[in-house]
Amino acid sequence: MDIIAEKLKALRLQHGLSQDLLAKQSGLSLRTIQRLERDGGGSAESLLALSATLNVSPMALRNEQGLPIAHWSFVSISCKAIACLMLLAITLALIMLASNGRYTLYIDIISLLFLALFLPSVTIITLGFAGLKRSISGLRLLFSQQLYGTSQLQQLRSIYRLQYRLCYNAALLCSLFGLVSVFHYSVERNSSLLFSGLSVLTLAWLYAAMLAELVYRPLIFKLQQAIQQQSTDAA
């Protein structure tokens, strides 16, 4: 139930208790106390037992900001940063190879702007500014080592599932708007415009897929894994 490791340790030391003594007084195992002080999280029973033993309210041990907690390590962040750089290098190499050096073929400002404005706008309409702010701040969790805070993680997972679908919805709308123009002018002028126009419209799907599959899908998977792990620990 979102027990904060630092708060638990601080309250234990404030009461002059060792981990072993706190375990005996609360009825929890020493291993559970050690894990909670290292990783946080925990079940509702653990929260109530510890708050009663330490003579504090359950909220004194919980995350007051309502945000998921992430553990960070230099090694984990470095490895993920290197992986991102490798992915970027491979992507750029593919673009250069596919376009024969003319990378501007893969740049469409209108599609980028539409995607960049569509996602936050619909998120605000659906969840308000608080939902948009939460989704932006939650992006940092992609590089975290370990997450806990079940209720907050579930909320973020719902937000990112929505935004994952919005990526492809934006590409669909952008393509539909573009198709009207492409078919209209290709009939009026020449059919060659049809093929050049269709090639541009596929860029909206490319941008949407890159954002959805490289950012939102890994986040959703990571949040799902963290939620399942905490459910297992609580059981």
Side-chain angles (χ1 to χ4, degrees), residues 136-152:
I136 294 174
S137 62
L139 293 175
R140 63 189 174 87
L141 301 181
L142 188 61
F143 297 93
S144 64
Q145 180 181 4
Q146 185 176 8
L147 309 177
Y148 60 87
T150 305
S151 60
Q152 292 80 20

PDB file of all heavy atoms in Angstrom, residues 136-152:
ATOM      1  N   ILE A 136       3.060  13.462 -18.405  1.00  0.00           N
ATOM      2  CA  ILE A 136       4.373  13.990 -18.774  1.00  0.00           C
ATOM      3  C   ILE A 136       5.416  13.659 -17.707  1.00  0.00           C
ATOM      4  O   ILE A 136       6.520  13.210 -18.010  1.00  0.00           O
ATOM      5  CB  ILE A 136       4.291  15.510 -18.998  1.00  0.00           C
ATOM      6  CG1 ILE A 136       3.408  15.822 -20.213  1.00  0.00           C
ATOM      7  CG2 ILE A 136       5.686  16.105 -19.206  1.00  0.00           C
ATOM      8  CD1 ILE A 136       3.148  17.283 -20.434  1.00  0.00           C
ATOM      9  N   SER A 137       5.057  13.868 -16.436  1.00  0.00           N
ATOM     10  CA  SER A 137       6.009  13.577 -15.357  1.00  0.00           C
ATOM     11  C   SER A 137       6.285  12.079 -15.255  1.00  0.00           C
ATOM     12  O   SER A 137       7.373  11.668 -14.838  1.00  0.00           O
ATOM     13  CB  SER A 137       5.469  14.101 -14.019  1.00  0.00           C
ATOM     14  OG  SER A 137       4.249  13.450 -13.677  1.00  0.00           O
ATOM     15  N   GLY A 138       5.306  11.257 -15.654  1.00  0.00           N
ATOM     16  CA  GLY A 138       5.482   9.812 -15.575  1.00  0.00           C
ATOM     17  C   GLY A 138       6.424   9.243 -16.610  1.00  0.00           C
ATOM     18  O   GLY A 138       6.849   8.083 -16.491  1.00  0.00           O
ATOM     19  N   LEU A 139       6.778  10.026 -17.626  1.00  0.00           N
ATOM     20  CA  LEU A 139       7.701   9.533 -18.656  1.00  0.00           C
ATOM     21  C   LEU A 139       9.067   9.170 -18.075  1.00  0.00           C
ATOM     22  O   LEU A 139       9.767   8.324 -18.623  1.00  0.00           O
ATOM     23  CB  LEU A 139       7.866  10.584 -19.759  1.00  0.00           C
ATOM     24  CG  LEU A 139       6.623  10.865 -20.618  1.00  0.00           C
ATOM     25  CD1 LEU A 139       6.899  12.009 -21.579  1.00  0.00           C
ATOM     26  CD2 LEU A 139       6.188   9.619 -21.378  1.00  0.00           C
ATOM     27  N   ARG A 140       9.427   9.807 -16.975  1.00  0.00           N
ATOM     28  CA  ARG A 140      10.724   9.523 -16.350  1.00  0.00           C
ATOM     29  C   ARG A 140      10.797   8.085 -15.836  1.00  0.00           C
ATOM     30  O   ARG A 140      11.884   7.530 -15.660  1.00  0.00           O
ATOM     31  CB  ARG A 140      10.977  10.494 -15.196  1.00  0.00           C
ATOM     32  CG  ARG A 140       9.967  10.369 -14.073  1.00  0.00           C
ATOM     33  CD  ARG A 140      10.096  11.470 -13.034  1.00  0.00           C
ATOM     34  NE  ARG A 140       9.041  11.407 -12.046  1.00  0.00           N
ATOM     35  CZ  ARG A 140       9.095  10.667 -10.946  1.00  0.00           C
ATOM     36  NH1 ARG A 140      10.177   9.950 -10.694  1.00  0.00           N
ATOM     37  NH2 ARG A 140       8.092  10.649 -10.100  1.00  0.00           N
ATOM     38  N   LEU A 141       9.636   7.470 -15.597  1.00  0.00           N
ATOM     39  CA  LEU A 141       9.614   6.111 -15.073  1.00  0.00           C
ATOM     40  C   LEU A 141      10.141   5.101 -16.082  1.00  0.00           C
ATOM     41  O   LEU A 141      10.472   3.974 -15.726  1.00  0.00           O
ATOM     42  CB  LEU A 141       8.182   5.724 -14.668  1.00  0.00           C
ATOM     43  CG  LEU A 141       7.521   6.602 -13.607  1.00  0.00           C
ATOM     44  CD1 LEU A 141       6.129   6.094 -13.292  1.00  0.00           C
ATOM     45  CD2 LEU A 141       8.366   6.662 -12.340  1.00  0.00           C
ATOM     46  N   LEU A 142      10.226   5.515 -17.340  1.00  0.00           N
ATOM     47  CA  LEU A 142      10.754   4.630 -18.371  1.00  0.00           C
ATOM     48  C   LEU A 142      12.200   4.258 -18.083  1.00  0.00           C
ATOM     49  O   LEU A 142      12.668   3.182 -18.473  1.00  0.00           O
ATOM     50  CB  LEU A 142      10.650   5.311 -19.739  1.00  0.00           C
ATOM     51  CG  LEU A 142      10.988   4.467 -20.971  1.00  0.00           C
ATOM     52  CD1 LEU A 142      10.045   3.281 -21.085  1.00  0.00           C
ATOM     53  CD2 LEU A 142      10.916   5.316 -22.225  1.00  0.00           C
ATOM     54  N   PHE A 143      12.916   5.127 -17.357  1.00  0.00           N
ATOM     55  CA  PHE A 143      14.326   4.894 -17.071  1.00  0.00           C
ATOM     56  C   PHE A 143      14.568   4.465 -15.625  1.00  0.00           C
ATOM     57  O   PHE A 143      15.713   4.394 -15.200  1.00  0.00           O
ATOM     58  CB  PHE A 143      15.134   6.164 -17.365  1.00  0.00           C
ATOM     59  CG  PHE A 143      15.098   6.568 -18.813  1.00  0.00           C
ATOM     60  CD1 PHE A 143      14.152   7.467 -19.269  1.00  0.00           C
ATOM     61  CD2 PHE A 143      15.995   6.032 -19.712  1.00  0.00           C
ATOM     62  CE1 PHE A 143      14.115   7.836 -20.610  1.00  0.00           C
ATOM     63  CE2 PHE A 143      15.969   6.388 -21.045  1.00  0.00           C
ATOM     64  CZ  PHE A 143      15.020   7.292 -21.505  1.00  0.00           C
ATOM     65  N   SER A 144      13.508   4.213 -14.880  1.00  0.00           N
ATOM     66  CA  SER A 144      13.679   3.841 -13.478  1.00  0.00           C
ATOM     67  C   SER A 144      14.016   2.368 -13.347  1.00  0.00           C
ATOM     68  O   SER A 144      13.751   1.563 -14.243  1.00  0.00           O
ATOM     69  CB  SER A 144      12.400   4.152 -12.692  1.00  0.00           C
ATOM     70  OG  SER A 144      11.338   3.365 -13.172  1.00  0.00           O
ATOM     71  N   GLN A 145      14.575   2.024 -12.214  1.00  0.00           N
ATOM     72  CA  GLN A 145      14.981   0.650 -11.967  1.00  0.00           C
ATOM     73  C   GLN A 145      13.843  -0.161 -11.370  1.00  0.00           C
ATOM     74  O   GLN A 145      13.629  -1.308 -11.734  1.00  0.00           O
ATOM     75  CB  GLN A 145      16.187   0.621 -11.021  1.00  0.00           C
ATOM     76  CG  GLN A 145      16.705  -0.770 -10.692  1.00  0.00           C
ATOM     77  CD  GLN A 145      17.872  -0.735  -9.746  1.00  0.00           C
ATOM     78  OE1 GLN A 145      18.260   0.335  -9.268  1.00  0.00           O
ATOM     79  NE2 GLN A 145      18.452  -1.885  -9.464  1.00  0.00           N
ATOM     80  N   GLN A 146      13.097   0.427 -10.444  1.00  0.00           N
ATOM     81  CA  GLN A 146      12.025  -0.298  -9.771  1.00  0.00           C
ATOM     82  C   GLN A 146      10.927   0.689  -9.398  1.00  0.00           C
ATOM     83  O   GLN A 146      11.196   1.824  -8.998  1.00  0.00           O
ATOM     84  CB  GLN A 146      12.558  -0.990  -8.510  1.00  0.00           C
ATOM     85  CG  GLN A 146      11.540  -1.870  -7.817  1.00  0.00           C
ATOM     86  CD  GLN A 146      12.142  -2.601  -6.634  1.00  0.00           C
ATOM     87  OE1 GLN A 146      13.274  -2.327  -6.250  1.00  0.00           O
ATOM     88  NE2 GLN A 146      11.394  -3.508  -6.057  1.00  0.00           N
ATOM     89  N   LEU A 147       9.677   0.245  -9.524  1.00  0.00           N
ATOM     90  CA  LEU A 147       8.533   1.103  -9.245  1.00  0.00           C
ATOM     91  C   LEU A 147       7.690   0.506  -8.134  1.00  0.00           C
ATOM     92  O   LEU A 147       7.590  -0.716  -8.015  1.00  0.00           O
ATOM     93  CB  LEU A 147       7.659   1.264 -10.497  1.00  0.00           C
ATOM     94  CG  LEU A 147       8.339   1.680 -11.795  1.00  0.00           C
ATOM     95  CD1 LEU A 147       7.325   1.701 -12.917  1.00  0.00           C
ATOM     96  CD2 LEU A 147       8.988   3.037 -11.649  1.00  0.00           C
ATOM     97  N   TYR A 148       7.062   1.367  -7.342  1.00  0.00           N
ATOM     98  CA  TYR A 148       6.028   0.906  -6.437  1.00  0.00           C
ATOM     99  C   TYR A 148       5.057   2.035  -6.163  1.00  0.00           C
ATOM    100  O   TYR A 148       5.358   3.207  -6.355  1.00  0.00           O
ATOM    101  CB  TYR A 148       6.605   0.335  -5.129  1.00  0.00           C
ATOM    102  CG  TYR A 148       7.435   1.287  -4.295  1.00  0.00           C
ATOM    103  CD1 TYR A 148       6.844   2.117  -3.363  1.00  0.00           C
ATOM    104  CD2 TYR A 148       8.813   1.326  -4.422  1.00  0.00           C
ATOM    105  CE1 TYR A 148       7.609   2.967  -2.582  1.00  0.00           C
ATOM    106  CE2 TYR A 148       9.583   2.167  -3.649  1.00  0.00           C
ATOM    107  CZ  TYR A 148       8.979   2.981  -2.721  1.00  0.00           C
ATOM    108  OH  TYR A 148       9.745   3.811  -1.956  1.00  0.00           O
ATOM    109  N   GLY A 149       3.882   1.667  -5.694  1.00  0.00           N
ATOM    110  CA  GLY A 149       2.773   2.601  -5.520  1.00  0.00           C
ATOM    111  C   GLY A 149       1.633   2.145  -6.417  1.00  0.00           C
ATOM    112  O   GLY A 149       1.376   2.717  -7.465  1.00  0.00           O
ATOM    113  N   THR A 150       0.948   1.069  -5.985  1.00  0.00           N
ATOM    114  CA  THR A 150       0.022   0.359  -6.869  1.00  0.00           C
ATOM    115  C   THR A 150      -1.045   1.242  -7.471  1.00  0.00           C
ATOM    116  O   THR A 150      -1.277   1.233  -8.683  1.00  0.00           O
ATOM    117  CB  THR A 150      -0.632  -0.802  -6.107  1.00  0.00           C
ATOM    118  OG1 THR A 150       0.386  -1.637  -5.560  1.00  0.00           O
ATOM    119  CG2 THR A 150      -1.512  -1.621  -7.032  1.00  0.00           C
ATOM    120  N   SER A 151      -1.741   2.021  -6.648  1.00  0.00           N
ATOM    121  CA  SER A 151      -2.854   2.821  -7.160  1.00  0.00           C
ATOM    122  C   SER A 151      -2.382   3.863  -8.163  1.00  0.00           C
ATOM    123  O   SER A 151      -3.023   4.091  -9.191  1.00  0.00           O
ATOM    124  CB  SER A 151      -3.588   3.503  -5.993  1.00  0.00           C
ATOM    125  OG  SER A 151      -2.709   4.351  -5.271  1.00  0.00           O
ATOM    126  N   GLN A 152      -1.241   4.495  -7.911  1.00  0.00           N
ATOM    127  CA  GLN A 152      -0.705   5.492  -8.825  1.00  0.00           C
ATOM    128  C   GLN A 152      -0.248   4.850 -10.135  1.00  0.00           C
ATOM    129  O   GLN A 152      -0.434   5.409 -11.217  1.00  0.00           O
ATOM    130  CB  GLN A 152       0.461   6.249  -8.187  1.00  0.00           C
ATOM    131  CG  GLN A 152       0.070   7.149  -7.022  1.00  0.00           C
ATOM    132  CD  GLN A 152      -0.116   6.370  -5.741  1.00  0.00           C
ATOM    133  OE1 GLN A 152       0.380   5.250  -5.611  1.00  0.00           O
ATOM    134  NE2 GLN A 152      -0.830   6.925  -4.782  1.00  0.00           N
TER     135      GLN A 152
END
